[in-house]
Amino acid sequence: MSDIPPTQAQLPSIPQDVERSASVMADKLCDGFIHHDQREYEASVQAFTAVDMVQFDHLDDAEARLAAMGYVDALWAKDEVEESCRVNGRIDAEQLTEADWSPVREAFERRASIAGIDPRYAELTTEAWINHKTEGDYLTPTMRAQMLELRAALQQPTYPEKPRHGQYGFGPEPVQYALGIELHDMRRWEQAREAMTPYFQYILDEQA
């Protein structure tokens, strides 16, 4: 299979009858990452589209698919950056830090624009992905970016609204998302699904 992403016209149709279920959303999110690892672009877009169709209920189905494509395109662009920085089979961290990450950032910018996410999301997620591969702090920008995505999904620009002291923080849901990413790194998929289910349940409960 070619590693070149197909055009939008070549993509499979938008998923039909997507179930509004937190466990299904968690399954599809993990499926999207698994398909990426297996270099299956079309299947990855399908999986992430199924998630975005539910979590971004202010978007129509076509917009949700375009938002998902932005994320998957960022994944594929990241892979290209990594391959360009591979020396003797290993990724050179210094080269990776200095590489041109603009295609990744631009794909995230596209996703943010479509879904109505704060534009800072693109810069933060790109920073997180760079740090992830260079032993830097990737959890902080990941959670900050996910807070912004969650605000868009909930249509609540003030999330999280903490009732007492300790106003600083990203909210529990972005922390759950970061745990899911850590479990993804370890290929502990069942635990990742379990970690992500309450994240999506919160979204569904707030949308109800």
Side-chain angles (χ1 to χ4, degrees):
M1 178 180 294
S2 172
D3 286 343
I4 300 175
T7 65
Q8 184 177 344
Q10 294 172 315
L11 286 172
S13 60
I14 293 171
Q16 300 298 310
D17 301 320
V18 175
E19 184 177 346
R20 291 184 63 82
S21 161
S23 60
V24 169
M25 294 171 75
D27 284 341
K28 291 297 184 182
L29 184 77
C30 291
D31 287 347
F33 286 117
I34 291 171
H35 289 307
H36 163 251
D37 291 342
Q38 296 171 345
R39 308 302 296 164
E40 297 169 349
Y41 182 89
E42 296 92 338
S44 187
V45 170
Q46 283 280 75
F48 284 116
T49 297
V51 176
D52 284 350
M53 284 173 64
V54 178
Q55 74 169 345
F56 297 128
D57 67 350
H58 59 288
L59 303 181
D60 62 32
D61 291 352
E63 290 169 332
R65 185 174 79 162
L66 290 172
M69 286 178 65
Y71 193 89
V72 177
D73 287 348
L75 285 169
W76 254 255
K78 173 188 69 70
D79 293 344
E80 291 185 7
V81 174
E82 291 176 359
E83 284 304 310
S84 72
C85 299
R86 199 174 292 277
V87 178
N88 296 325
R90 297 178 63 87
I91 295 175
D92 184 283
E94 184 175 347
Q95 287 189 29
L96 196 68
T97 300
E98 297 175 355
D100 178 13
W101 284 80
S102 61
V104 175
R105 185 174 58 255
E106 288 164 5
F108 282 134
E109 287 172 350
R110 196 159 21 98
R111 174 176 176 79
S113 177
I114 294 164
I117 306 171
D118 186 310
R120 290 175 295 171
Y121 164 87
E123 195 65 44
L124 286 165
T125 311
T126 304
E127 176 189 349
W129 284 15
I130 295 171
N131 290 353
H132 195 193
K133 293 295 183 177
T134 57
E135 300 185 6
D137 171 19
Y138 82 93
L139 290 174
T140 299
T142 293
M143 289 186 287
R144 190 180 299 278
Q146 207 57 37
M147 178 187 70
L148 299 177
E149 179 170 304
L150 189 60
R151 286 175 177 177
L154 301 175
Q155 294 289 277
Q156 294 179 8
T158 58
Y159 171 93
E161 294 184 0
K162 298 184 178 182
R164 295 188 177 86
H165 299 294
Q167 291 299 312
Y168 178 77
F170 313 109
E173 284 69 38
V175 176
Q176 287 173 319
Y177 189 93
L179 173 59
I181 296 296
E182 283 287 282
L183 291 166
H184 154 264
D185 284 349
M186 303 299 294
R187 300 300 188 264
R188 288 155 59 175
W189 293 113
E190 188 56 40
Q191 288 178 283
R193 291 182 177 96
E194 291 176 2
M196 291 305 304
T197 297
Y199 174 90
F200 289 118
Q201 189 61 57
Y202 180 81
I203 293 175
L204 295 177
D205 289 346
E206 290 296 304
Q207 289 176 347

